[in-house]
Amino acid sequence: MNYSVSEENYIKSIFHLQKKEGTVTTNELAAELKTRPASVTDMMKKLKTKKLLHYQPYKGFRLTADGTRVALGIIRRHRLWEFFLAEKLKFTWDEVHEVAEELEHVSNKKLIDKLDAYLGFPKNDPHGDPIPDANGKIDPGKKIRLPDVPLQTLCTVAGVRNQSAELLELLENKKIKIGTRIEVRKKFEFDQSMEIKTGKQSINTISHQLAENILITYDAG
Amino acid sequence: MNYSVSEENYIKSIFHLQKKEGTVTTNELAAELKTRPASVTDMMKKLKTKKLLHYQPYKGFRLTADGTRVALGIIRRHRLWEFFLAEKLKFTWDEVHEVAEELEHVSNKKLIDKLDAYLGFPKNDPHGDPIPDANGKIDPGKKIRLPDVPLQTLCTVAGVRNQSAELLELLENKKIKIGTRIEVRKKFEFDQSMEIKTGKQSINTISHQLAENILITYDAG
DNA sequence: CGAATGATTTAGATTTGGCTAAATAATTTT
DNA sequence: AAAATTATTTAGCCAAATCTAAATCATTCG
């Protein structure tokens, strides 16, 4: 139930990286944490035994539901402290991150919940990022249809507009499901089809009819 | 310039123990920190090389001026957070200590000075203990004459009421100087002489004339 | 396809803080 | 003053989190 500063930093980094990539590699994480790949492997084994991680050697990793819950707790603490530092202590918005990096590891739940109340249950930190509530829920952004997403912007599949077997079959074929990270690379004027990148690398072309039935949000958390 | 959580806890405990005893022993410190004497010895060696401690093997230890400065910084952080928790987050006074134990190790100076300002530069924490200012100074209690001190109460010699060679000779003989910890054990009605304990163990009898010329404070910090 | 390249893991060392057991110093008792 | 007791230190281990170097797996390119 309680994690070391080091474990928390790993969990947090994995959370942020997998938001961008879906799955995280050893080298990516080592670069992010300014440590060595060998150290990452050691920690991954440890986090796997704690059931916070899906991890197969050589295959990258992603957080389990438990891991995600832990990550959201850390992010909640970080962003609440950022809000406090900016709002109450008059730090400028570019100073808050560094200080919050230290404060976020104080994980007393009562402290954080009381801080939240004291601050008036803010929805966003000074950088505009959403603050998870005491249950780890992030106020979901509005769902919008894929054709309305700007180019080169990362977003996450949040739902579909109908449940027909035909649509689901197509989605399955294209490996698109709830939670898949999508970036629109090109929109073709001729037929309104679009080229999208899903997950880490696969490039796909989808029709306008399909795109219209895919709902996304910008911040799945 | 930056110390580990473990080092800080040792420094803080030594500070508090030596306030009571003048000098601190290995076993005392081990009991206080719920660790083993052997671990204490290891840490003492380390803190000595960092010049925070006066330490001769088998002879106990006390903080150097540097060590005291560090200790006051930790205590400042602890007590400011306690004040914040009670005053702003509505923790009860008996809950604040435990949470402040964690927050005190976040040692960003700007954070603490801004917190101090935000709180209105409080002089005492919710337990009534004095909060050192940004320079490590504690608002000194009033100096009072030794005969006015209640029995069995620890206090610290803060000055004398005259500078005569005769008085200084006597003080030297009784090993009483500025900073000496004193506790009054008995007061004899007959001649108003008193029995005092100085430092760790030595018991002394001093005359009323002498006692009247010794000034003390309750909290030397 | 198979070799080269790059990513990842294994093996072994280091640092920090802690532990136990044994040795030694200091103090107290007889 | 010698013996017994208590306090303290030394010696040798352990675990966490890191590192470097070497080995191994996976992929890509000629």
Side-chain angles (χ1 to χ4, degrees), chain A residues 2-4 7 45-53 66:
Chain A
N2 248 6
Y3 303 96
S4 71
E7 288 170 327
K45 286 183 194 162
K46 186 168 157 193
L47 294 181
K48 185 184 179 172
T49 70
K50 296 192 178 187
K51 300 200 185 307
L52 300 179
L53 222 47
D66 271 7

Side-chain angles (χ1 to χ4, degrees), chain A:
Chain A
M1 210 50 151
N2 248 6
Y3 303 96
S4 71
V5 169
S6 188
E7 288 170 327
E8 288 194 348
N9 284 333
Y10 273 93
I11 293 165
K12 193 177 44 151
S13 290
I14 294 168
F15 181 89
H16 289 308
L17 288 174
Q18 78 180 19
K19 221 171 70 170
K20 295 207 192 77
E21 303 289 356
T23 184
V24 183
T25 67
T26 302
N27 275 14
E28 266 171 17
L29 191 47
E32 171 76 14
L33 290 168
K34 298 188 194 336
T35 184
R36 300 302 171 147
S39 309
V40 171
T41 297
D42 287 346
M43 183 61 88
M44 294 308 95
K45 286 183 194 162
K46 186 168 157 193
L47 294 181
K48 185 184 179 172
T49 70
K50 296 192 178 187
K51 300 200 185 307
L52 300 179
L53 222 47
H54 295 294
Y55 168 56
Q56 290 292 102
Y58 293 97
K59 296 300 176 68
F61 27 81
R62 55 181 219 286
L63 295 173
T64 60
D66 271 7
T68 303
R69 195 180 39 67
V70 173
L72 285 166
I74 300 165
I75 287 163
R76 168 172 164 79
R77 300 196 297 262
H78 180 97
R79 292 182 180 166
L80 281 174
W81 282 120
E82 284 197 345
F83 187 93
F84 169 75
L85 294 170
E87 181 84 2
K88 303 292 187 182
L89 299 197
K90 311 299 180 196
F91 276 84
T92 61
W93 75 270
D94 56 307
E95 296 173 315
V96 298
H97 180 77
E98 184 187 334
V99 183
E101 286 285 297
E102 298 190 63
L103 287 165
E104 75 187 9
H105 300 295
V106 176
S107 64
N108 185 296
K109 179 159 172 57
K110 191 168 183 179
L111 166 64
I112 297 304
D113 290 347
K114 276 176 175 286
L115 178 64
D116 197 9
Y118 175 58
L119 298 174
F121 303 103
K123 284 271 181 291
N124 299 89
D125 74 13
H127 304 106
D129 296 317
I131 301 175
D133 72 14
N135 301 310
K137 290 274 177 293
I138 288 183
D139 189 21
K142 281 199 201 63
K143 293 183 186 178
I144 60 182
R145 291 172 307 146
L146 191 52
D148 299 332
V149 172
L151 291 179
Q152 327 287 8
T153 302
L154 263 162
C155 56
T156 304
V157 174
V160 292
R161 289 176 73 206
N162 81 60
Q163 298 280 105
S164 70
E166 293 80 1
L167 173 57
L168 297 180
E169 179 202 0
L170 181 52
L171 290 172
E172 174 140 3
N173 175 264
K174 303 234 180 244
K175 302 214 191 312
I176 294 170
K177 54 186 169 185
I178 305 246
T180 301
R181 303 295 297 182
I182 286 186
E183 185 183 332
V184 178
R185 307 299 288 281
K186 280 188 191 141
K187 294 178 182 174
F188 297 101
E189 289 297 329
F190 177 70
D191 59 359
Q192 314 250 62
S193 69
M194 49 177 67
E195 192 179 288
I196 61 173
K197 191 171 96 171
T198 57
K200 188 156 178 169
Q201 52 205 162
S202 72
I203 302 285
N204 247 304
T205 298
I206 65 178
S207 68
H208 183 62
Q209 294 97 304
L210 175 54
E212 274 213 313
N213 280 285
I214 297 176
L215 299 171
I216 65 90
T217 57
Y218 288 118
D219 251 313

Side-chain angles (χ1 to χ4, degrees), chain B residues 37 94 109 128 163-164 199:
Chain B
D94 56 306
K109 180 160 170 54
Q163 297 282 104
S164 71

Side-chain angles (χ1 to χ4, degrees), chain B residues 10-22:
Chain B
Y10 273 93
I11 294 166
K12 191 177 45 153
S13 290
I14 294 167
F15 181 90
H16 288 309
L17 288 173
Q18 80 180 18
K19 220 171 69 169
K20 294 206 190 79
E21 304 288 357

Side-chain angles (χ1 to χ4, degrees), chain B residues 4 6 10 35-36 38-39 42 46 58:
Chain B
S4 71
S6 189
Y10 273 93
T35 183
R36 299 300 171 154
S39 308
D42 287 346
K46 185 167 157 194
Y58 292 96

Side-chain angles (χ1 to χ4, degrees), chain B residues 58-78:
Chain B
Y58 292 96
K59 294 304 177 64
F61 27 82
R62 52 180 222 285
L63 295 172
T64 60
D66 271 7
T68 303
R69 194 178 40 66
V70 173
L72 285 167
I74 300 165
I75 287 164
R76 168 172 163 77
R77 301 196 296 261
H78 180 96

